[in-house]
Amino acid sequence: MNSDPLSHNHSRALVLAGGGAAGNAWQIGLIAGLFEAGLDVTSADVIIGTSAGSTVAAAVTSHLTPSELYAAVLTEPRRPAPEGPTATTRPRSPQPSGPAYLDWSNAVIATATDPADMRRRMGAAALERDTSGGADAVRWREVVAARLPSHDWPEQRILITAVDAHTGEPVVFDRDSGVELVDAVAASTSAMTPYRIGGRRYLNGGYRRSENADLAAGSDRVLVLSPFGGRSRMPDDWGMDLATQVAELEAGGSRVATVFPDARAGDVFDANALDPATRGRAARGGYDQGRELAAGSVGELWR
């Protein structure tokens, strides 16, 4: 585990941000659209995944192609399928509804004085809710495991973000962390209840820093997929927002392109983003957008 940005000189980095069920599907669709238009962004030297983006990172570095992942989203049962890249029968998710999660986390954010204080308060509030004796973590692991095409870390370098609920310290998991891929993704996607790995418990990676694009520092070219359009629920002066991260990367010499959903994915990138019913339209919208971007700004950056 590592809590600091990594500055290895990767030539290309792909950043996959959080965005719930809709964001996961949109990113898979967009990557598939790029792929079928001749641009394979999954060939990045490093892929950084946060929350729903961590599931995408694990999926696109598996044995399945972006086209296969996209097709699986489109064939998922409309309900009650949870967010994820495959269409198999899965355990019921123990995660909360979007509105409940936003109400809870917004209340914590409003009491904090800075990012470190916010993470500590978020961790303390989540630990107070952890009354299941580990049962919620077991159920969440089953859900996450069912979503992933492979449970093994890929040879390709991927970074999965989380936050230590006990200390509030940011955490970055990779294949050398001694943590299984399923557990890393389960930690990054945890919401109001922290996820247990050994004697530690972890929170959603989005509380480290929104998209966590700063972890791509040192890369020549950085592509950021941000389902929530670069928005942050944190105060502007905290510097958690994507624009601040992009400015930092560019100041370090990186070329950066950001991609946000357009209207074709649906107006769901808010509390409704956790609703599995959003996935079909979000994926199709991302796919069409990806095919267009391959010949435009993304293609210019990546090739």
Side-chain angles (χ1 to χ4, degrees):
M1 292 178 290
N2 187 351
S3 61
D4 298 319
L6 304 183
S7 57
H8 304 292
N9 189 27
H10 302 292
S11 61
R12 296 184 295 187
L14 175 63
V15 179
L16 304 169
N24 174 286
W26 172 75
Q27 290 180 93
I28 288 173
L30 191 138
I31 290 170
L34 292 169
F35 181 78
E36 293 190 11
L39 194 69
D40 183 9
V41 296
T42 70
S43 63
D45 299 284
V46 61
I47 298 179
I48 297 156
T50 296
S51 194
S54 71
T55 310
V56 180
V60 300
T61 54
S62 72
H63 60 281
L64 298 180
T65 67
S67 299
E68 291 170 326
L69 294 169
Y70 174 61
V73 173
L74 298 184
T75 57
E76 289 173 349
R78 184 171 179 81
R79 284 186 180 275
E83 166 268 312
T86 60
T88 57
T89 301
R90 304 175 180 89
R92 181 181 176 187
S93 169
Q95 296 293 292
S97 69
Y101 175 56
L102 287 181
D103 288 346
W104 175 82
S105 54
N106 283 338
V108 176
I109 292 167
T111 66
T113 58
D114 57 37
D117 183 48
M118 179 272 296
R119 287 189 287 263
R120 286 192 296 269
R121 289 174 181 267
M122 198 71 71
L127 289 169
E128 286 184 5
R129 291 179 50 85
D130 189 16
T131 59
S132 70
D136 282 348
V138 171
R139 289 173 57 209
W140 188 233
R141 192 183 200 281
E142 291 173 351
V143 170
V144 171
R147 292 176 179 175
L148 301 184
S150 172
H151 295 173
D152 298 322
W153 286 94
E155 291 299 322
Q156 189 172 357
R157 185 164 178 74
I158 64 172
L159 308 178
I160 305 296
T161 63
V163 169
D164 188 313
H166 301 277
T167 65
E169 288 298 312
V171 174
V172 179
F173 296 110
D174 63 16
R175 62 178 295 110
D176 299 319
S177 299
V179 170
E180 293 185 12
L181 177 62
V182 174
D183 289 318
V185 173
S188 188
T189 53
S190 64
M192 292 159 65
T193 303
Y195 182 75
R196 296 178 181 234
I197 303 177
R200 309 300 296 177
R201 283 174 279 185
Y202 299 91
L203 290 177
N204 193 287
Y207 294 118
R208 179 194 173 276
R209 204 175 181 188
S210 301
E211 287 77 6
N212 291 303
D214 60 292
L215 290 174
S219 301
D220 297 326
R221 292 166 284 173
V222 182
L223 174 62
V224 183
L225 306 189
S226 176
F228 289 130
R231 301 189 304 273
S232 174
R233 292 186 289 133
M234 317 300 172
D236 291 344
D237 60 0
W238 287 6
M240 300 280 278
D241 60 292
L242 178 58
T244 298
Q245 297 171 57
V246 170
E248 292 170 358
L249 289 169
E250 292 178 339
S254 299
R255 293 172 56 204
V256 184
T258 58
V259 181
F260 308 145
D262 63 22
R264 288 172 288 188
D267 185 19
V268 296
F269 293 100
D270 49 27
N272 291 324
L274 296 185
D275 186 348
T278 64
R279 287 177 58 73
R281 179 175 177 181
R284 291 184 181 92
Y287 178 84
D288 292 342
Q289 194 176 354
R291 289 189 65 88
E292 292 176 2
L293 289 171
S297 59
V298 174
E300 292 172 3
L301 174 81
W302 206 256
R303 290 191 173 94

